[in-house]
Amino acid sequence: MNEKKNIPAGKRLLELARNNAVPIMFIIICAVFIPMAGFSPSYLLNEIVTRMGRNLFLVLCLLFPIMAGMGLNFAMTLGAMGAEIAVILVADWQIWGIPGVVLAMILSIPFSALLGFICGTLQNMAKGREMITSYIINFFINGWYQFIVLYIMGAIVPIIHSSIMLPRGYGIRNTVSLLNMRQCLDDLLAIRVAGVKIPVFTFILVALLCLFIVWFRRTKLGQDMRAVGQDMEVAKAAGINVDRTRIISVVMSTVCAGFGMVIYLQNIGNLPTYTGHSQIGMFCIAALLVGGASVDKAGIGNAFLGVILFHMMFIVAPGAGAFITGDSMVGEYFRVFLSYGVITLALIMYEAKKRMAKSRAGRELAEAQVKKEDA
């Protein structure tokens, strides 16, 4: 503490800016774009609150693998696929409203847990390369998902209602209507403040997940995950089953992602069968990184800040693009470019910071060795 107090204020400010470069950059982008977009404060606030309710649960599920030192879980999409299969079944059985949402969440658990177990097992075979492995696993499982919904459903898995099937008699339509389920969670206990709709019950679910994460970190399993994330060899020497702990973290992430995808779909009101899950992982990871998280460190605060900043940019970029160029498509391209660019930038900055810290530690060790020899 005393060492921190002795550091000059300018150096501390520079260090703070360096550690939070990505959030600061997005704050500046949003501050520049908001006046150009020309949206009213109430509209922006209403959109941000809606998107927070829609996406926060999904972003928070990324924290478990990071806690276990497995980096950003691109395979959270596997949980989204499990949820989509569950939602298709619920839509076929015509169970709508809150019962339909609850049933879809329950049905998603075995699908998401199985896929999470497969993913975690494969990632244990590729220690140190978990992120790229999860990214490729995502493509592999997506192929099986497409095969199931395009050929198996209706041909082998019975589908009662032809309204959700392709005209050929098997396979699911490109879009499944969830109109009778739309915003049933968001409307439950919803209140309006100055024209802004606040989905209270959805935020209660998000708050429960946040409390669970805080509580889980203090449990034996949570402490084991943190130990594994810090050093696998030390954790193994301490008697922790490293592979089992890592698999559990991935399973927890995919199961929570399944719940989050059900919340997401009930807010949207329809299911894009073949594309609904494709960008979920990328956008959630981008939002978490925008909030100041890194590959090995992320918290609940990063998730909240990231969702606000990332989706604020998503809202205002098309309007700002139209203002600057007269073509709103420029804004669409720009926000997609930023969503991928922020992941690249954050990963590069993380690696550069890691190398600088390693180099600094090496210099300090060499200096200590020289002093010891001189003494």
Side-chain angles (χ1 to χ4, degrees):
M1 289 295 292
N2 291 332
E3 290 180 4
K4 287 186 177 180
K5 288 181 179 178
N6 294 330
I7 298 174
K11 194 171 182 180
R12 278 187 292 177
L13 189 62
L14 183 63
E15 186 67 21
L16 181 67
R18 188 182 294 122
N19 293 335
N20 298 279
V22 176
I24 291 171
M25 179 181 69
F26 265 76
I27 289 171
I28 294 170
I29 290 172
C30 291
V32 172
F33 278 8
I34 286 172
M36 293 181 182
F39 296 129
S40 66
S42 61
Y43 173 81
L44 284 175
L45 189 58
N46 195 64
E47 283 293 308
I48 288 296
V49 170
T50 300
R51 290 167 184 264
M52 285 179 70
R54 182 191 303 163
N55 294 282
L56 264 172
F57 208 100
L58 283 165
V59 177
L60 288 167
C61 77
L62 293 166
L63 300 184
F64 296 106
I66 293 175
M67 193 188 309
M70 301 178 74
L72 302 166
N73 183 26
F74 287 91
M76 66 167 286
T77 311
L78 274 58
M81 294 180 205
E84 287 177 340
I85 291 174
V87 168
I88 289 170
L89 294 175
V90 168
D92 182 46
W93 300 335
Q94 299 287 292
I95 302 173
W96 302 116
I98 299 296
V101 169
V102 173
L103 181 58
M105 286 182 174
I106 293 171
L107 288 176
S108 74
I109 294 174
F111 299 132
S112 301
L114 175 61
L115 293 173
F117 177 80
I118 294 170
C119 179
T121 302
L122 293 174
Q123 283 180 306
N124 279 337
M125 299 177 184
K127 290 186 176 74
R129 297 289 184 272
E130 290 89 354
M131 285 196 294
I132 186 64
T133 302
S134 66
Y135 191 63
I136 298 304
I137 290 171
N138 170 32
F139 285 111
F140 171 68
I141 299 298
N142 183 50
W144 281 101
Y145 168 82
Q146 304 280 353
F147 176 71
I148 289 169
V149 296
L150 194 57
Y151 293 103
I152 301 299
M153 288 191 163
I156 298 175
V157 177
I159 298 296
I160 302 169
H161 288 271
S162 59
S163 60
I164 68 171
M165 278 198 302
L166 292 169
R168 65 187 182 185
Y170 60 91
I172 305 301
R173 289 182 181 272
N174 290 339
T175 303
V176 176
S177 175
L178 304 177
L179 192 61
N180 294 324
M181 190 188 286
R182 186 171 185 267
Q183 297 191 5
C184 60
L185 286 181
D186 298 336
D187 292 337
L188 189 63
L189 305 179
I191 60 173
R192 286 191 174 272
V193 179
V196 177
K197 178 185 174 182
I198 302 176
V200 175
F201 189 77
T202 306
F203 281 125
I204 288 173
L205 294 178
V206 171
L208 288 174
L209 180 58
C210 292
L211 290 173
F212 174 76
I213 292 170
V214 172
W215 168 80
F216 180 75
R217 283 174 174 165
R218 299 176 182 175
T219 63
K220 173 66 167 60
L221 181 56
Q223 294 293 334
D224 288 351
M225 280 189 189
R226 294 171 69 179
V228 170
Q230 290 171 5
D231 194 312
M232 281 190 287
E233 294 303 321
V234 173
K236 190 180 293 184
I240 298 171
N241 189 330
V242 172
D243 287 353
R244 175 178 170 274
T245 303
R246 285 160 55 94
I247 289 173
I248 290 173
S249 72
V250 177
V251 170
M252 291 177 70
S253 179
T254 52
V255 169
C256 287
F259 292 166
M261 192 64 181
V262 174
I263 294 172
Y264 178 92
L265 292 174
Q266 66 82 35
N267 177 270
I268 296 295
N270 65 73
L271 167 61
T273 308
Y274 301 97
T275 60
H277 56 274
S278 59
Q279 298 297 327
I280 288 295
M282 194 68 69
F283 286 166
C284 288
I285 287 170
L288 189 64
L289 292 173
V290 165
S294 68
V295 173
D296 60 357
K297 187 178 180 182
I300 294 170
N302 299 126
F304 276 80
L305 178 61
V307 169
I308 292 170
L309 291 178
F310 186 71
H311 287 281
M312 177 68 78
M313 185 271 295
F314 251 57
I315 296 164
V316 300
F323 177 83
I324 296 169
T325 65
D327 185 358
S328 62
M329 285 304 296
V330 173
E332 292 288 341
Y333 292 132
F334 184 63
R335 69 183 184 181
V336 172
F337 162 77
L338 279 180
S339 66
Y340 291 99
V342 70
I343 296 178
T344 306
L345 178 63
L347 293 178
I348 290 172
M349 290 175 64
Y350 165 76
E351 189 61 31
K353 187 178 176 182
K354 188 177 178 181
R355 291 187 180 185
M356 285 173 62
K358 192 174 181 179
S359 176
R360 192 184 305 118
R363 287 197 305 269
E364 290 175 357
L365 184 63
E367 289 172 4
Q369 189 69 26
V370 170
K371 288 179 181 178
K372 187 178 179 181
E373 290 175 358
D374 292 342

